[in-house]
Amino acid sequence: MKTPLPNRLPAQLEQRGGKSKRQRIWEIIRARQHDISAADLAKDSKVDSATIISYLRALEKGGYLHAHSPASRNGTGKRYRLMRDNGVEAPRLNKSGQPVSQGSGNETLWRTMRILGQFNSRELIQHAASAGIHIADDSANIYLRTLYRAGYLQLLEASRPLGVGKGKTLNRYRLLPGKYSGPRPPMIQRSKCVYDPNLARVVWQEDIRHDDD
Amino acid sequence: MHPTHTGRIAPIANLDLVAVVMEKLVNRQDSLPGLAVYYGPSGWGKTTATVAVANRSRAYYVQLRSAWSRKTLLEKILFEMGIKPGGTIPALLDQICEQLAASRRPLILDEFDYCADKHGMIELVRDIYEGSQSSLLLVGEEQLPHKLKRFERFHGRVLSWLPAAAVSLADSRQLAAIYCPDIPLADDLLQHLVALSHGSVRRVSVNLVNVYDTALVEGMDSVDLATWGQRPLYTGEAPRRHGSAA
């Protein structure tokens, strides 16, 4: 059992860019520290109560929150206090409170691009593998190609054939220095557009093909 | 495409060394210092090791610039944390310390040489360290430990001094798997590349790419020193003038 956090006013940490519902909930939890209830969160965050309740459950199971007073018969829900601080980032948990790693592939690619400056997809995959993070060739290639089309990357060396049956070299890219928008990796969305969470906007959209083009 | 190369990256000696120390820093007892300084000549694989550490621990990575003021440094760290900066220097410092302490993610300051002769900057980094009790990895050139010696209060807090290791034959075998895949290279050739490199991982890698391209173009199935012959290799020196050139 961990002891509650010390009684002090936390420095205000607010995430830059676009915020998920869970992020909005988390920031309010962090600011309040004690005596947190689903009803208060709903009022302050404007997030729907189903999301709030499922996130509170996950946080409790994950040991981030402790319910200090149980739900009572007169209709007031559980009240929680923050037990484990995670900093500004909302803990990414599944329903049973276990950390989820989904999305860590792109985060690793994005961080590695930023540190290396120049790279091809194989180098990025190898660097990720050395940290125990496995990324498929296709995912890396698609991510790079999309970032290139969205204007984040510059093509330094285009892929060239190596001879019959020898395959070809890989495209070599550079992350444009002004394009590092922040630590969160730009996301490719299902609708074939790129959303940059650091900037909180869609930065690129595939041209719409008309039938008569 | 080479679908077979999803294997592990060369676990070069540097990478293991730094990863082990980082592990030690992150999981240390509360009373122990949590600062490490990783230094060595450029090209000796510091970046490779740094990337691995950053990815493994989700560290905050900031590369310093000579023009930065104290405030810029703090703002850049907060940018890396994705936090809206709070305004004054003390407020920024509080935010950073709190985020480091709460997230337990390490902070990596690369090109720390830019900091190392400015008293105010050193004190500021010490403030971050003292305020967060977090793990800090400072990365810089060979002269970094020497420069830091001037700041005794800082110097005494460093738990580990990590000199980057020169590239070894074993390292070069690992690098060959990445940069020259599917073409076996004889040890005499690798030994030659290591000798030419003067310790630099980068030079070995550049030459491996060079060997790989040549082997594919000329259709070699494997390469040893004799096959390679007098073909040019990158030595890091300016190219010599050819006697016959007009």
Side-chain angles (χ1 to χ4, degrees), chain B residues 2 24 62 101 123 135 150 178 189 235:
Chain B
H2 300 277
K24 201 167 82 185
V62 177
E123 286 297 310
S135 313
R150 289 175 43 217
I178 303 172
L189 179 65
T235 59

Side-chain angles (χ1 to χ4, degrees), chain A:
Chain A
M1 188 75 210
K2 286 187 80 168
T3 47
L5 296 164
N7 251 330
R8 65 180 177 81
L9 208 60
Q12 202 188 345
L13 300 183
E14 192 187 337
Q15 196 172 52
R16 199 168 60 84
K19 287 181 206 168
S20 66
K21 287 180 186 174
R22 286 188 163 197
Q23 182 66 34
R24 278 185 276 161
I25 300 170
W26 175 253
E27 285 183 10
I28 295 169
I29 293 176
R30 268 201 93 239
R32 292 180 71 109
Q33 306 265 319
H34 313 280
D35 210 32
I36 301 151
S37 76
D40 298 340
L41 288 174
K43 200 164 69 203
D44 295 353
S45 69
K46 311 269 186 277
V47 173
D48 59 287
S49 51
T51 308
I52 293 175
I53 289 164
S54 73
Y55 194 41
L56 286 177
R57 278 193 194 136
L59 287 170
E60 189 185 356
K61 285 183 180 154
Y64 290 92
L65 292 178
H66 170 68
H68 58 78
S69 65
S72 66
R73 251 169 277 145
N74 60 20
T76 51
K78 280 185 181 178
R79 306 195 74 83
Y80 300 90
R81 86 164 71 88
L82 185 62
M83 296 300 287
R84 192 164 125 204
D85 194 357
N86 195 51
V88 69
E89 268 183 310
R92 292 164 53 79
L93 306 169
N94 64 13
K95 270 189 185 166
S96 44
Q98 304 295 318
V100 292
S101 61
Q102 186 222 348
S104 70
N106 282 358
E107 182 186 296
T108 304
L109 289 172
W110 181 242
R111 183 186 297 114
T112 309
M113 285 185 229
R114 183 272 166 102
I115 302 179
L116 292 181
Q118 297 183 12
F119 42 81
N120 63 30
S121 61
R122 191 198 303 151
E123 287 167 21
L124 294 183
I125 290 169
Q126 300 276 2
H127 277 286
S130 79
I133 299 157
H134 295 277
I135 298 168
D137 278 5
D138 277 352
S139 342
N141 282 320
I142 291 169
Y143 195 53
L144 289 188
R145 199 176 327 132
T146 312
L147 288 184
Y148 170 62
R149 293 168 77 184
Y152 286 88
L153 307 181
Q154 179 191 359
L155 185 61
L156 289 179
E157 257 174 70
S159 130
R160 60 194 155 83
L162 284 168
V164 182
K166 292 277 171 51
K168 50 184 184 172
T169 64
L170 296 163
N171 279 336
R172 195 167 184 77
Y173 296 101
R174 179 167 90 103
L175 176 62
L176 288 165
K179 284 293 185 177
Y180 180 71
S181 48
R184 294 150 78 192
M187 296 148 71
I188 305 178
Q189 299 191 310
R190 235 170 294 178
S191 51
K192 287 286 158 61
C193 59
V194 176
Y195 172 76
D196 190 328
N198 304 297
L199 306 173
R201 60 186 169 85
V202 171
V203 290
W204 178 82
Q205 222 161 355
E206 193 166 53
D207 283 343
I208 295 158
R209 280 271 181 107
H210 296 284
D211 282 347
D212 51 356
D213 270 356

